[in-house]
Amino acid sequence: MSGRRRAGLPGVLFRWAFRVAPREHREAVAEEAAEVFEAGYLRRAEEEGPRAARRYARRAVADAALSGWRLRRSRPAARPRVATPGARSAGGLDLVTGLGTDLRHALRRLRRAPGHSAAIVVILALGVGANTAVLSALRTAVAAPPPYPAADRLVFPRLTVQRAGEEGMSLWSWRDFVDFREATGDVFSHLAGYTARSASWNDPGAAESVPYELVTPGYFEALGAVPALGRFFLAEEEGATSAPGVVVLSHDTWHRRFGGDPAAVGRAITVDGIRLRVVGVAGAGFRGLTGDPAFWVPAGHGHAVFGEWLFESRTNYWFHVVARLAPDVAIEAARARAEPVGRRIVTADRLERGERLEVSVVPFHEVWTNPTTHASVGLIGAGAGLLLLIAIANVASLLLARNRRESRETAVRLALGAGRGRLLRARLIESLAISAIAGVAGLALAAWSVHGIRALWPDRLLTGTGGEVRWIDPSGVTLDLPVMLAGLGLATLAALVFALLPTALRRGGTLVPALKQGAGSLGRGAARSGGRRLLLGGQVAFSVALLIAAGLLAATLLRLHGEQGGFEPKGLLAVSYTFAGRPVAASETSLEQAHEELRRRAGLLPGVTSAALGTSPPLAGHTMQTRVSETVGGTVYPEDRRPAIGVHSADHGLFATLGMRLLEGRAFTEAEDRRARQVLVLSRFAARRLFPGESAVGRQLRMGFSVAGDNAPWTVIGVVDDVLYGSPAEGLIAEAYVPYGAWHGQSYATLFVRTGPGRDPADLVPELRRAMDAIDRGVPFWRTLTGAELRREGVADTRVLVLVLSFFAGLALLLSATGVWAVVAQAVAERRREIGLRVALGARGREVEGLMVRQGIAPLLAGGLAGLVLAALGSRALSGLLFRTGTHDPLVFAGATVLLAVVWLLASWLPARAARRVDPIEALSSD
Amino acid sequence: MAAEDHLPLTPLSLQILVALADAPRHGYGILKEIEGFSPVPFRSSTGTLYLAIQRLEEQGLIEEDVERPSPDSRRRYYRLTDLGRDVAMAENRRLASLLEISRAKGFLGSGG
Amino acid sequence: MIDAVDDHLPLAPRFFQVLLALSGETMHGYGIIQAYEALSGGRETLLPGSLYATLARMTELGLIEPAPAPAGEKSSGPKRRYVRATGLGLEVARAEAERMERMVGLARERRLGPAASSGRRDLLSGEAR
């Protein structure tokens, strides 16, 4: 081809048409193609004439344009990666300009698979919404600021006489308090005493037993409360004994009893038969420090109700003290000042041998939070985290499935020249769109759940170490936006990773297998992809772990509820009272006689089968705790290792009346009710702890409490079943029951009454009231609890935990069921053709059904095993919250596993049934 | 249109025509028949198969057989048209000549 | 690139014919067009646009590869691009030819094929009448 000939116009047209080809092709081959065209054209013109040449030119030009177009569409994806810097900047520009298109594309994709998109949204919304609701409530409960202004300036001064090996009591006597207040006036701007009592509300309205606080003036001011109406107490009202006394109503009581009438101030109320004049109403939300008192009275009210003795003896410790630091006084300065004052007040002659004075100024937050709270919070947090993980695993597995299904489309798009960055961005936008929708749905769900949480809010929550109750107003539970955003952010991140990973990893060269694979290839189940199986297994594992945690706590609750609570709550009534002052004026004998007379009269009431005297009702907290120093002929405990032991008095009928089983030895005799002997009955826990591997009966021990003096040893005469006195969270400690006779001289007691069938123990209260009035008119029952109420009170915290964890576990079950349901449903859809073929080949419905169900079994087994291991390792963290439930309780472990397996298989089977309905012809004719 | 204008046929189209040469078949029957043609597994998706069937029908190479062997109303049976038969013959002639060349160039064993 | 020969079957007719046209040789575009036309006795043409699209695709699939110009050919014009079949391409063409042969044989059995070149020709063509 020397002296190149040109084809003129046809050549120009051909070159122009070939411009459709992508640039790299155009540059490489356009000129050569044009030459080939010209050669063919000229040859035809020569050999066949101009008409044939023109026809050839027409066809070739059209073909050049078409081929150029095809080349453009099938440009391999790997090509653009080796782009020149110029090309890269052009690509960057492209990334910005195509945003709108991608957004539209993402929304179209979402609409194209509405069920799938909805599943992702629902799961994310459930996971994030539930998490947000519960964690919001938790943050309100724990992280919310205390309901007292400038709470960091609040302190609890404590003056404790510490006896060796005994838990010190941080209670004050009146005269110590007065001295301390005088000496520290420059350190504390307000120093106030407070104690919780309960009274019979007589008038106006219906009579009932209500809690109230006995406080000194300055209490409200120390806590920063503001009256809603009227005023708080004046300094001169502190010790006033002249009638009528004054009272400040709680906002709640004001509404319940006076309908919120402002004229209530100045009106009179009657409690425990004493008239009091209303001088003020506390602001809404102010609930004092001990729970939810109905009203406050000045400490002087105690003169009328409890007698002068409360105020006279320096050794009559009966109230707590709270103070607000004076401006510019640091807590260290307050401590430095309080110490010498304390030493001056508690003179050495008051201390017995071995006793030690401890003066402390405890910051508010140390009382406000306690270890049980931390354990519960940790548990709920862990539960929330597991739930979020399940939701994320679920969404990830759905996204992986979608990617698998769309791998063909992805390959085509890559092959058609869509840049990888472009595809990634499309996925990114899609994930963000899903997250945004799920976020809104989750927010709505959380807002709705918060209502439920408010309704389920327990009466009391998170009791502080000093008996102070943290009252958290359920109406204060609001959505916590940071929690919500954190959960959503995490879920979005996971969604992004799983949406982007497969696209990012896809290589350009895998086009043909992906295309050829088509939907017609056989034997590929959705669950067979390793990633999805892992995610499914993970869901099972987390679900099992959550179910087990919830199960263990539920078992604790059940055991606390059931007769295994250590006592029989049915038909039981516990009435606590204190003969305040008056019988004390008489001889000790008369005090004992008064207690016993009440017991006698109670026992004679119709429907009562037995009545007994003791100190503390079960689950209501210890009255007295000390420590065991040694077991005679056994262990001598070092001072810092002495086991704590609760001490209770018990008359001869107490164990029978409470329904406590005697496991060994004997109970107390009637003679021991009268005569103080150094004998005791141990709880089973105590017997095992102190005398491991041997019988405790007949053995002796010494503890920080003795009636015979000189730290005389106690002889064990029997062992009874465990009864929980503290909260389940505190767990069992050793308990010792000493004869009622050893308790002589105490004005305090709890009367236990058991009724026969058909008699509601609560109905007995008025009759007992009359019985008491016959002995000593005006002695109030400051705590009246039926067995059922005792149980409820004792398990309030556990109930909350069980509720929250069951909620989580239920959701986890639902989510993992959804997960496997989606996987199997998808497998049925993906393998329609295979199923159709199998059916066509004679497979029966049950066989194809089984084939589909089997997909979920491997993840179930592996995940279930992992979940059991996870739970076995993690359940130790629960041990402090459990009562009579092992951390590896086999029943709970097995139950949780079986429950999950059943739900899982059901969730697999439901969509698998669709495989039966696959019509082979239809399945084989669709793509 | 002359039979030659349809050439070359895609391999799949020819396979369909050959599959229908001895008897009318429905879609799945065609698939089973084609699978029997070759030890190499049938790789196209069934969707591709049905698209090809549709295109052949549009081109008049095959048609729906109204006389069905069984009264199963869901199944559409197809049979070759005369044109389809001619096109298949032409394509096979074309292939046969290509095979001659292949043999000459050593792409095939000389037997046959 | 797909290595398994079977994965390429059935091969697009045009790919097969290009491989057949190339057979073992190294050719440039115009040479391929001529050889391609010769396969059908001039009935089928390969237009230049299609040629280069086809070559690009076949290169991608690993059926052909660029090659240096054969020793004998010298060009005075701009540098020409030469290609030849790869080992895979030859194998695929061979396998496709076998597949086609089976196909033609089958068609013949069903009276859709041309008369066989062997002794069966008379029998079959006789039946076809």
Side-chain angles (χ1 to χ4, degrees):
Chain A
M1 275 197 258
S2 59
R4 288 184 55 210
R5 291 178 300 171
R6 293 282 186 169
L9 183 63
V12 173
L13 285 177
F14 182 92
R15 284 182 174 82
W16 181 79
F18 206 66
R19 289 181 68 85
V20 176
R23 197 170 63 184
E24 64 266 26
H25 271 275
R26 219 155 60 223
E27 283 166 354
V29 299
E31 196 47 43
E32 194 178 321
E35 272 178 38
V36 169
F37 163 73
E38 283 173 338
Y41 176 80
L42 293 170
R43 181 175 61 79
R44 279 178 175 74
E46 243 166 57
E47 293 173 5
E48 300 166 40
R51 279 188 61 165
R54 276 205 297 279
R55 202 172 63 230
Y56 174 73
R58 274 202 303 277
R59 286 176 58 212
V61 168
D63 174 71
L66 201 65
S67 304
W69 178 246
R70 282 198 190 119
L71 276 173
R72 175 176 286 248
R73 302 228 319 169
S74 70
R75 177 170 48 176
R79 229 22 99 64
R81 266 206 306 222
V82 283
T84 60
R88 187 174 297 150
S89 73
L93 188 70
D94 191 41
L95 280 180
V96 177
T97 52
L99 200 65
T101 319
D102 282 350
L103 194 59
R104 275 197 300 280
H105 185 71
L107 291 175
R108 200 161 53 232
R109 267 164 56 95
L110 292 184
R111 274 207 305 273
R112 207 166 55 200
H116 190 268
S117 307
I120 294 182
V121 166
V122 166
I123 289 165
L124 265 185
L126 273 181
V128 173
N131 247 295
T132 305
V134 170
L135 290 182
S136 293
L138 204 62
R139 261 177 68 112
T140 312
V142 177
Y148 315 106
D152 57 324
R153 303 291 295 162
L154 285 177
V155 290
F156 292 89
R158 285 182 173 168
L159 196 63
T160 313
V161 175
Q162 187 89 36
R163 229 174 286 171
E166 193 177 331
E167 291 285 289
M169 297 251 273
S170 62
L171 287 171
W172 292 69
S173 70
W174 181 258
R175 286 175 60 189
D176 287 346
F177 165 71
V178 171
D179 289 351
F180 188 80
R181 184 170 58 184
E182 263 165 31
T184 57
D186 52 340
V187 181
F188 304 112
S189 61
H190 297 280
L191 184 82
Y194 65 94
T195 185
R197 291 285 186 270
S198 75
S200 306
W201 180 288
N202 308 123
D203 191 64
E208 65 172 336
S209 177
V210 291
Y212 70 97
E213 281 181 354
L214 211 57
V215 303
T216 63
Y219 178 71
F220 299 97
E221 290 77 6
L223 294 178
V226 185
L229 220 59
R231 61 171 176 85
F232 292 137
F233 301 132
L234 307 173
E236 61 266 29
E237 284 165 345
E238 174 171 291
T241 51
S242 58
V246 290
V247 63
V248 169
L249 300 181
S250 78
H251 202 264
D252 194 42
T253 304
W254 176 50
H255 270 273
R256 286 200 318 126
R257 297 285 179 173
F258 290 97
D261 182 4
V265 174
R267 302 258 307 265
I269 65 167
T270 310
V271 287
D272 282 342
I274 298 167
R275 278 173 67 84
L276 297 166
R277 186 166 51 87
V278 177
V279 295
V281 174
F286 180 76
R287 291 190 164 86
L289 282 167
T290 63
D292 196 18
F295 57 84
W296 292 269
V297 290
H301 179 72
H303 285 287
V305 181
F306 303 107
E308 296 298 322
W309 62 278
L310 273 181
F311 300 89
E312 285 165 359
S313 168
R314 273 200 190 271
T315 54
N316 200 341
Y317 308 105
W318 60 280
F319 59 93
H320 302 280
V321 171
V322 66
R324 181 172 289 275
L325 293 170
D328 305 325
V329 174
I331 190 160
E332 292 76 21
R335 281 191 179 130
R337 185 59 184 278
E339 283 254 346
V341 172
R343 299 205 177 285
R344 210 184 63 219
I345 292 170
V346 186
T347 47
D349 62 315
R350 207 198 302 172
L351 297 176
E352 289 170 20
R353 201 155 58 88
E355 282 185 340
R356 193 153 54 83
L357 176 75
E358 273 185 12
V359 186
S360 56
V361 178
V362 182
F364 179 81
H365 66 84
E366 269 180 35
V367 175
W368 188 249
T369 53
N370 68 43
T372 312
T373 313
H374 287 304
S376 310
V377 167
L379 191 63
I380 292 175
L386 278 184
L387 188 71
L388 195 62
L389 279 179
I390 291 171
I392 287 173
N394 218 317
V395 167
S397 105
L398 282 174
L399 283 172
L400 277 187
R402 160 178 289 206
N403 271 318
R404 235 184 59 76
R405 208 175 44 222
E406 291 178 349
S407 67
R408 197 171 161 188
E409 187 195 323
T410 307
V412 170
R413 282 163 64 83
L414 279 174
L416 292 185
R420 188 178 312 277
R422 190 71 188 273
L423 273 188
L424 285 176
R425 193 182 61 180
R427 290 275 191 273
L428 189 86
I429 288 172
E430 192 183 337
S431 295
L432 288 178
I434 286 182
S435 301
I437 298 169
V440 172
L443 193 66
L445 187 76
W448 178 76
S449 309
V450 161
H451 282 287
I453 288 174
R454 283 183 197 153
L456 294 172
W457 201 257
D459 289 346
R460 321 160 119 229
L461 186 68
L462 309 170
T463 307
T465 46
E468 298 83 358
V469 170
R470 287 183 59 177
W471 180 272
I472 296 142
D473 188 353
S475 65
V477 178
T478 47
L479 282 187
D480 198 84
L481 208 58
V483 168
M484 166 105 198
L485 289 179
L488 192 62
L490 205 60
T492 307
L493 193 70
L496 283 182
V497 166
F498 282 95
L500 298 186
L501 211 58
T503 312
L505 293 180
R506 178 174 296 285
R507 290 203 304 275
T510 53
L511 173 63
V512 173
L515 288 177
K516 283 209 168 181
Q517 149 197 329
S521 39
L522 303 183
R524 245 188 225 94
R528 295 196 190 174
S529 104
R532 290 202 78 186
R533 268 199 297 206
L534 195 68
L535 289 169
L536 279 179
Q539 287 179 51
V540 175
F542 296 148
S543 302
V544 166
L546 263 180
L547 277 175
I548 286 173
L552 287 174
L553 283 164
T556 292
L557 197 62
L558 269 179
R559 275 159 204 176
L560 285 168
H561 266 256
E563 53 177 1
Q564 292 178 56
F567 68 102
E568 176 53 57
K570 214 168 160 224
L572 185 69
L573 181 73
V575 180
S576 300
Y577 59 91
T578 306
F579 282 123
R582 272 157 284 201
V584 177
S587 69
E588 275 197 359
T589 319
S590 71
L591 188 62
E592 286 152 35
Q593 280 172 346
H595 285 303
E596 285 173 23
E597 178 61 15
L598 183 65
R599 180 180 70 190
R600 193 186 65 81
R601 283 171 183 263
L604 292 176
L605 292 175
V608 171
T609 53
S610 70
L613 288 166
T615 35
S616 335
L619 297 167
H622 283 92
T623 303
M624 178 179 177
Q625 259 189 50
T626 181
R627 285 180 187 277
V628 178
S629 53
E630 66 172 299
T631 57
V632 177
T635 318
V636 179
Y637 295 97
E639 197 150 337
D640 54 338
R641 298 254 171 78
R642 291 178 177 172
I645 190 163
V647 180
H648 312 265
S649 81
D651 72 358
H652 67 280
L654 182 77
F655 300 143
T657 302
L658 275 173
M660 292 166 65
R661 274 190 305 149
L662 184 70
L663 302 174
E664 211 184 327
R666 63 171 178 88
F668 298 117
T669 61
E670 210 162 342
E672 280 160 338
D673 283 359
R674 296 293 179 90
R675 217 153 37 83
R677 281 186 56 209
Q678 289 269 110
V679 293
L680 49 71
V681 172
L682 288 179
S683 67
R684 176 165 64 173
F685 181 94
R688 283 200 193 153
R689 171 86 170 77
L690 300 171
F691 304 100
E694 55 185 320
S695 169
V697 176
R699 300 293 303 271
Q700 289 191 311
L701 61 86
R702 285 181 218 275
M703 59 182 180
F705 171 74
S706 137
V707 282
D710 213 16
N711 200 13
W714 294 80
T715 305
V716 181
I717 58 162
V719 177
V720 288
D721 209 355
D722 288 318
V723 165
L724 195 60
Y725 284 94
S727 74
E730 290 159 31
L732 283 175
I733 66 164
E735 309 285 359
Y737 299 86
V738 299
Y740 180 72
W743 210 257
H744 277 181
Q746 296 291 324
S747 54
Y748 163 82
T750 296
L751 174 74
F752 295 95
V753 180
R754 180 165 294 285
T755 57
R759 185 95 159 97
D760 184 351
D763 295 344
L764 284 177
V765 178
E767 292 170 60
L768 286 174
R769 183 69 257 168
R770 278 195 292 277
M772 179 58 106
D773 284 347
I775 300 162
D776 192 353
R777 175 166 288 278
V779 172
F781 294 153
W782 58 266
R783 182 168 61 194
T784 307
L785 292 167
T786 63
E789 286 167 338
L790 277 173
R791 238 171 27 180
R792 248 202 315 279
E793 193 121 314
V795 301
D797 288 1
T798 311
R799 185 195 304 277
V800 174
L801 275 181
V802 168
L803 217 60
V804 169
L805 282 180
S806 304
F807 175 63
F808 279 157
L811 266 184
L813 205 57
L814 186 73
L815 287 185
S816 25
T818 314
V820 72
W821 184 87
V823 164
V824 173
Q826 193 154 17
V828 171
E830 275 181 19
R831 297 171 74 180
R832 263 179 94 73
R833 203 158 287 107
E834 178 193 344
I835 294 166
L837 208 55
R838 282 176 192 270
V839 171
L841 292 175
R844 273 181 315 214
R846 187 176 305 167
E847 288 166 357
V848 292
E849 218 174 86
L851 186 76
M852 293 297 112
V853 171
R854 271 202 294 280
Q855 317 213 37
I857 291 200
L860 175 65
L861 292 180
L865 205 64
L868 287 176
V869 171
L870 187 69
L873 294 177
S875 64
R876 272 179 220 153
L878 292 179
S879 59
L881 301 171
L882 300 181
F883 170 70
R884 286 212 194 163
T885 307
T887 52
H888 296 164
D889 189 293
L891 204 64
V892 171
F893 272 59
T897 314
V898 167
L899 177 64
L900 183 94
V902 167
V903 170
W904 182 268
L905 290 178
L906 194 69
S908 311
W909 176 70
L910 285 176
R913 281 186 317 167
R916 264 180 199 267
R917 293 193 296 270
V918 169
D919 171 25
I921 307 302
E922 219 173 276
L924 290 168
S925 64
S926 67
D927 191 31
Chain B
M1 280 223 284
E4 268 72 21
D5 292 338
H6 291 280
L7 303 188
L9 285 180
T10 66
L12 182 59
S13 297
L14 179 63
Q15 285 171 334
I16 294 170
L17 295 182
V18 172
L20 292 176
D22 55 351
R25 293 179 201 280
H26 54 76
Y28 186 52
I30 295 173
L31 173 69
K32 299 304 293 176
E33 189 70 9
I34 292 177
E35 280 182 333
F37 287 173
S38 163
V40 177
F42 181 71
R43 220 174 284 277
S44 305
S45 74
T46 40
T48 313
L49 175 68
Y50 275 80
L51 280 177
I53 290 175
Q54 210 177 332
R55 201 162 44 239
L56 291 174
E57 195 181 6
E58 281 164 14
Q59 292 171 341
L61 305 190
I62 61 174
E63 63 189 2
E64 195 176 346
D65 188 355
V66 282
E67 297 166 24
R68 289 172 186 164
S70 74
D72 186 345
S73 60
R74 269 202 298 246
R75 298 181 175 210
R76 280 169 61 114
Y77 279 79
Y78 299 94
R79 66 173 183 212
L80 279 184
T81 61
D82 289 344
L83 175 63
R85 198 166 291 276
D86 289 345
V87 169
M89 302 259 296
E91 174 69 4
N92 279 317
R93 265 198 303 277
R94 189 183 74 85
L95 292 184
S97 75
L98 281 176
L99 286 170
E100 292 289 331
I101 298 167
S102 303
R103 198 165 285 119
K105 293 197 172 189
F107 281 92
L108 274 177
S110 52
Chain C
M1 170 168 325
I2 315 159
D3 292 333
V5 170
D6 281 353
D7 286 344
H8 290 277
L9 301 187
L11 195 61
R14 177 170 288 161
F15 290 7
F16 175 72
Q17 281 159 247
V18 167
L19 285 172
L20 199 57
L22 281 170
S23 57
E25 297 170 44
T26 297
M27 290 184 180
H28 65 78
Y30 193 68
I32 296 171
I33 281 182
Q34 287 177 316
Y36 190 99
E37 276 185 35
L39 290 180
S40 60
R43 274 197 303 276
E44 286 178 54
T45 54
L46 184 58
L47 295 167
S50 294
L51 167 72
Y52 285 98
T54 303
L55 293 184
R57 188 80 190 95
M58 289 177 74
T59 310
E60 237 176 81
L61 291 173
L63 298 175
I64 60 173
E65 61 191 358
E73 293 198 31
K74 283 203 179 88
S75 168
S76 56
K79 196 180 165 225
R80 283 178 175 176
R81 292 149 57 92
Y82 287 84
V83 295
R84 66 176 171 220
T86 61
L88 173 71
L90 291 173
E91 270 184 69
V92 168
R94 214 164 275 134
E96 174 68 5
E98 281 165 15
R99 190 195 68 78
M100 280 163 56
E101 190 171 45
R102 275 197 303 276
M103 203 61 221
V104 171
L106 199 70
R108 201 174 279 136
E109 281 172 25
R110 297 187 176 186
R111 289 179 270 167
L112 278 182
S117 55
S118 69
R120 291 164 67 201
R121 173 194 297 227
D122 296 331
L123 179 67
L124 284 168
S125 55
E127 270 180 14
R129 298 271 135 72

